[in-house]
Amino acid sequence: MQIAIYNALILLFALGCAPKLIGDWWRGKKGPSLLERLGIEIPDTKGRSVIWIHAVSVGETKAAQPLFLRLKKEFPEAFFLVTHATWTGREEAKRSLGLADAFAFLPLDFSWIMRRWVKRLRPTYFVLVEGDFWVNQLSALKRGGAKIVLASGKISERSARRFGFVSFFAKRLFGLVDLFCVQSEEHAARFAPFVREVYVAGNLKFDVEPQEIEEGKFLKRGEREVITIACTHDPEEKLLLEVLEPMFSRLTIFLAPRHPERFDAVEKLLVEKKISFVRLSQLQHTAGKETVILVDAMGRLPFCYANSRLAFVGGSFTDRIGGHNVLEPCLYGCPSLFGPYMQGQRELTSHLLRAGAGRQIAAHEALSTLELFFSDPAFLVEMKQGSNRLFSQGRGSAEKTISLMREKRIWQ
């Protein structure tokens, strides 16, 4: 009865998704098509042993990289499939997990779709990064003999409370997972009522290695200070640009909206506000006096951070999002500034502030904070040192996860 109700809910979800998928296709917005969501095409593994990694979007995909590389080393002959739920996640997977054999959107969680996928793929291991539990998928994997591992797992207080109202369902769902490796004691406590064993293995984001930045591409902007405003959502661009306007003559700003479909809307905003700008893709054709460089391609944030004195990380100056990964700028020696709305990233916020690698500020404090940092270089030096402490103390999650997989006999 429970599964019948669940399948009915998935059907309603699919029917609800159909108009959006069709509308996105009509507007030219990139994303999974309805056929992809129905799982029509299944990667050809050519008979090789399959390791299936699922990372929902950009953040989870970047976090998956260190564990993926360790698994690739352990199983060099295996076929690695990476699935995701967003187009940006897929594009990031091709960069961060480029050694994988196939990339695909996760199909809708209908039992008949998942049975067909598992029967064709016959995965040996399924690694779920951070979260995104689907009962038909996990049930099909379990029946197919796959070992299921949650890596760098997390669950919000709100989600744990909701699962508590249907604990019988939560216990059945989470009981399908063979190994729970979570980010912290806090997340372990939230999972504890529903699972037999849960292990704290740390956050994979601390294990991510910096990308190599192209030689000779460091920006020379005269007397201007270079900063990055990254991962922004509406109306964060407008909010921060208005606050920082008195410093425009001293700044070059990398402005990187979180979603590519907003590039044109942000360009329109810059035109309306008469802010001089150039798209990053056209940077080599300009004189270098623009106030804003609009980052109009995914995967360019490492370049921006490596070329900036500090970064504002968006998704935190609006209460609708809950924050993004504030560690990534620190990976490139670029301290993080972020807003008050970090409810989705509390653990990262705590680690970063404790290490002194960044600051949490209100939007109206952006200008005074920049003036303080640029007038006293000791602040930036101290925060860069904090970044080094941050990563040296937090690394080891991938290795701990691998060790637990061995210890708990997940290897076959």
Side-chain angles (χ1 to χ4, degrees), residues 28-195:
K29 178 180 174 180
K30 290 183 177 180
S33 69
L34 187 57
L35 291 179
E36 286 172 312
R37 293 292 274 162
L38 291 174
I40 301 301
E41 293 185 4
I42 302 176
D44 181 6
T45 67
K46 302 188 185 303
R48 292 156 62 189
S49 174
V50 173
I51 297 177
W52 179 354
I53 296 174
H54 179 59
V56 178
S57 193
V58 175
E60 295 85 355
T61 303
K62 289 181 177 179
Q65 184 190 52
L67 185 58
F68 165 77
L69 293 174
R70 287 290 285 108
L71 290 170
K72 189 76 174 171
K73 184 178 179 180
E74 294 282 346
F75 303 97
E77 303 302 321
F79 182 97
F80 280 82
L81 166 66
V82 180
T83 55
H84 19 256
T86 67
W87 182 267
T88 50
R90 179 173 183 164
E91 293 300 296
E92 182 58 44
K94 291 178 179 179
R95 286 186 292 270
S96 299
L97 312 177
L99 295 176
D101 298 279
F103 305 92
F105 288 105
L106 187 72
L108 292 167
D109 195 46
F110 289 113
S111 55
W112 58 272
I113 294 178
M114 290 305 176
R115 284 197 301 267
R116 178 169 168 265
W117 268 59
V118 171
K119 183 178 180 181
R120 184 80 62 84
L121 292 170
R122 299 175 62 191
T124 305
Y125 306 108
F126 175 74
V127 180
L128 179 59
V129 180
E130 294 196 0
D132 202 32
F133 300 89
W134 295 98
V135 67
N136 284 328
Q137 180 194 34
L138 297 183
S139 297
L141 287 163
K142 197 73 172 178
R143 286 193 298 268
K147 293 292 186 179
I148 302 171
V149 176
L150 173 67
S152 199
K154 66 178 184 177
I155 183 172
S156 69
E157 184 179 356
R158 183 181 182 186
S159 294
R161 188 167 57 248
R162 287 178 173 177
F163 275 121
F165 293 128
V166 287
S167 59
F168 58 90
F169 175 77
K171 289 177 181 178
R172 176 174 179 175
L173 173 65
F174 297 140
L176 296 167
V177 178
D178 294 288
L179 178 63
F180 268 84
C181 298
V182 299
Q183 296 179 5
S184 67
E185 294 288 352
E186 184 180 18
H187 293 294
R190 292 172 185 165
F191 276 117
F194 314 118
V195 301

Side-chain angles (χ1 to χ4, degrees), residues 337-351:
L337 303 178
F338 49 93
Y341 303 107
M342 290 291 290
Q343 61 270 22
Q345 303 286 347
R346 287 194 177 97
E347 184 188 359
L348 293 187
T349 303
S350 177
H351 279 292

Side-chain angles (χ1 to χ4, degrees), residues 258-296:
R258 177 71 174 183
H259 297 118
E261 60 268 21
R262 296 194 60 245
F263 292 159
D264 291 343
V266 175
E267 180 177 38
K268 183 179 179 183
L269 171 69
L270 296 171
V271 171
E272 289 175 351
K273 288 191 161 294
K274 298 180 180 178
I275 299 173
S276 62
F277 75 96
V278 62
R279 284 182 174 247
L280 182 59
S281 59
Q282 302 169 341
L283 187 60
Q284 64 272 27
H285 303 302
T286 69
K289 296 182 180 179
E290 299 80 14
T291 299
V292 170
I293 300 171
L294 178 58
V295 184
D296 58 349

Side-chain angles (χ1 to χ4, degrees), residues 198-219:
V198 58
Y199 302 92
V200 177
N203 192 327
L204 286 171
K205 287 185 172 75
F206 287 99
D207 284 359
V208 175
E209 295 291 340
Q211 295 180 20
E212 291 186 11
I213 306 301
E214 299 168 81
E215 293 292 334
K217 290 296 183 74
F218 195 94
L219 292 178

